[in-house]
Amino acid sequence: MCTAATYKTKDFYFGRTLDYEFSYGDEITITPRNYAFDFRHTSTCSSHYAIIGMAHIAGNYPLYYDAINEKGLGMAGLNFVGNAVYAEPDDSKENVAQFEFIPYILSKCASVSDAKNLLAKINLTGTPFSDKLPTAGLHWIIADKNESITVESVADGLHIYDNPVGVLTNNPPFETQMFLLNNYMSLSAKQPQNTFANGLTLNSYSRGMGAIGLPGDLSSASRFARVAFTKMNSISGESENESVSQFFHILGSVDQQRGCCEVSEGKYEITIYTSCCNTAKGIYYYTTYNNHQISAVDMHRENLDGTELIRYPLITEQQINFQN
Ligand SMILES: C[C@H](CCC(=O)NCCS(=O)(=O)O)[C@H]1CC[C@H]2[C@@H]3[C@H](O)C[C@@H]4C[C@H](O)CC[C@]4(C)[C@H]3C[C@H](O)[C@]12C
C-alpha cells in the first residue's frame, strides 16, 4: 500500500509513503535540464525542466516513483494492480510508456493545467522497461499549488479526475474512493453533539470522539479516508520546519509497521520511505523505516544545467541524539 498527499501553507508540499515488502534500490535522483531523455516511442528530449525525486536507476535511466520539477509540479505513481490497463501504441497519438510517464510529464509541464493539455494527446502504453523490470500496474496523482488530478488508465481508456482532497492510495478506483468518503461526512475534529435519539442522555467522556468511526486499518480505502481527514483538518504554522513537520505527521497517520500487514508467509509490507517535497524550493525531504530523522536533498544546490544524473543513496541508519 502507498499513500500520497499534498499540503499547502506558505509553500506547497507534495509527498508519499512507499509501502512494500522489498525495495528495488531507491535513490534520490536529480535529472538536470540537459540529461537526454531517450523516450521509447517519441523523439529524444535533451532540454527540459529539471526534476528531483525517488527513482530506481537502471542503465542510467531514472525510473521515478515520485518527483517534482523546478516549476513546482509534482507527480507520484501508486499501485493500481488489477485495474490498470494500458494501451497498445497508436501512431495518431504521443505514445508514452508507463515507466516513463513521470519524466515525460515533469520534463514538459509547468503546471497541472499544462499536464491536462498534454494528457489529451497522450496514449499511455504498457511497453515494459525490460524483461527484468516488467510493466507496473499504477495510477498517478499530479499536483501543483492550485489543483490536483488523478490519472487512471483502465479497460475503457485514460481517465483524468479532479482530486479535491489531494490524496491518493491504491484500489479501488479513485471515483469509488471519493464516493466512500460520503460514509464519513458526520466525522469532525470537534467534540460530537448527541443526536443519537430523543430522550437519551449521552456524554463525551474523552477528547477526539468527533472522529469515532474513522477507520484505523491499513486497507487502501481506510487509509484514503484517514489521510483525507487528517490532511483536511491539519493546522500548522507557515514556517518551513512547521510545515515539513506537519506533513510528516499527516503521512504518519497511515504509516505501516512491520508485522501488521502480511502479504505472504512471513513477508510484511512496511513504509519503506516517506517523502515530502517543498515544490517551490525544490527540496526533497525523506525518512526511512529505520531512520526517522528527516534528511533532505536540495536540487538548487546542484548544477541543474548538467547532462548527468545526480544520485544520493538513502541514509537509512538512525542517529539517536543522546542528551547525557
Ligand atoms: C511498488 C511501488 C508501489 C507501492 C505501492 O503502491 N504499494 C501498495 C501495494 S498494494 O497495492 O496495496 O498491494 C511501485 C511505485 C513505483 C513503481 C516503480 C516505477 O513505476 C518505475 C519502474 C517501472 C517498471 O515498469 C517496473 C519497475 C519500477 C522500478 C516500478 C517498481 C514498482 O512497481 C514501484 C516501486
Side-chain angles (χ1 to χ4, degrees):
M1 289 160 263
C2 291
T3 307
T6 62
Y7 186 56
K8 195 161 188 293
T9 59
K10 190 163 57 55
D11 286 338
F12 178 67
Y13 298 85
F14 177 88
R16 62 105 51 84
T17 58
L18 189 298
D19 305 331
Y20 216 48
E21 62 275 25
F22 67 88
S23 164
Y24 282 79
D26 325 318
E27 293 174 86
I28 317 292
T29 307
I30 297 169
T31 304
R33 296 180 188 116
N34 299 313
Y35 167 91
F37 272 118
D38 198 4
F39 291 125
R40 198 61 72 94
H41 300 283
T42 55
S43 56
T44 300
C45 178
S46 39
S47 175
H48 49 77
Y49 297 134
I51 298 169
I52 182 169
M54 192 68 83
H56 170 68
I57 298 177
N60 199 37
Y61 189 91
L63 290 162
Y64 278 112
Y65 312 173
D66 54 271
I68 58 166
N69 69 14
E70 60 181 306
K71 293 290 176 187
L73 185 64
M75 182 164 176
L78 289 83
N79 261 7
F80 194 42
V81 176
N83 283 302
V85 177
Y86 302 111
E88 290 298 322
D90 171 349
D91 288 343
S92 68
K93 297 201 119 189
E94 278 182 47
N95 293 301
V96 178
Q98 150 282 142
F99 65 82
E100 62 194 13
F101 194 28
I102 291 179
Y104 200 84
I105 295 288
L106 295 187
S107 60
K108 295 168 190 279
C109 302
S111 63
V112 170
S113 168
D114 283 357
K116 282 181 179 167
N117 291 335
L118 186 56
L119 284 164
K121 300 180 206 154
I122 283 179
N123 182 46
L124 195 61
T125 74
T127 316
F129 178 76
S130 66
D131 289 348
K132 281 195 183 139
L133 295 170
T135 305
L138 304 176
H139 58 174
W140 291 266
I141 179 170
I142 306 178
D144 65 18
K145 63 179 189 300
N146 298 315
E147 57 181 322
S148 299
I149 56 172
T150 298
V151 180
E152 295 186 335
S153 182
V154 293
D156 68 355
L158 195 66
H159 293 260
I160 294 139
Y161 302 103
D162 287 334
N163 184 334
V165 290
V167 304
L168 189 65
T169 59
N170 308 105
N171 286 332
F174 180 71
E175 273 192 314
T176 309
Q177 297 277 25
M178 285 302 295
F179 177 79
L180 291 174
L181 279 190
N182 289 317
N183 294 343
Y184 305 107
M185 64 192 270
S186 65
L187 301 194
S188 171
K190 297 188 191 311
Q191 286 295 70
Q193 299 301 312
N194 178 15
T195 54
F196 189 82
N198 285 333
L200 183 66
T201 304
L202 298 173
N203 298 308
S204 295
Y205 58 86
S206 161
R207 293 179 177 182
M209 288 177 66
I212 286 183
L214 185 65
D217 67 275
L218 292 172
S219 69
S220 176
S222 295
R223 282 179 292 108
F224 190 94
R226 194 156 71 250
V227 80
F229 181 84
T230 311
K231 175 235 158 120
M232 298 208 80
N233 285 292
S234 259
I235 292 171
S236 72
E238 302 240 299
S239 72
E240 184 70 351
N241 274 355
E242 289 166 304
S243 306
V244 170
S245 168
Q246 184 72 9
F247 191 93
F248 280 100
H249 280 298
I250 292 168
L251 284 182
S253 72
V254 288
D255 199 34
Q256 263 182 261
Q257 302 82 10
R258 186 179 292 114
C260 295
C261 176
E262 188 173 26
V263 293
S264 60
E265 187 62 36
K267 290 205 167 146
Y268 300 94
E269 192 166 287
I270 59 166
T271 299
I272 293 176
Y273 71 82
T274 305
S275 66
C276 165
C277 299
N278 180 323
T279 64
K281 293 192 166 76
I283 302 174
Y284 193 101
Y285 299 93
Y286 70 94
T287 58
T288 72
Y289 193 80
N290 285 324
N291 181 11
H292 279 205
Q293 181 178 343
I294 299 171
S295 305
V297 178
D298 179 346
M299 77 191 305
H300 295 292
R301 292 188 187 186
E302 306 290 340
N303 172 17
L304 294 182
D305 289 322
T307 56
E308 297 300 321
L309 297 178
I310 300 157
R311 309 162 62 153
Y312 284 91
L314 301 195
I315 300 171
T316 54
E317 288 295 311
Q318 184 131 298
Q319 306 280 324
I320 293 178
N321 187 14
F322 280 93
Q323 289 186 272
N324 63 1

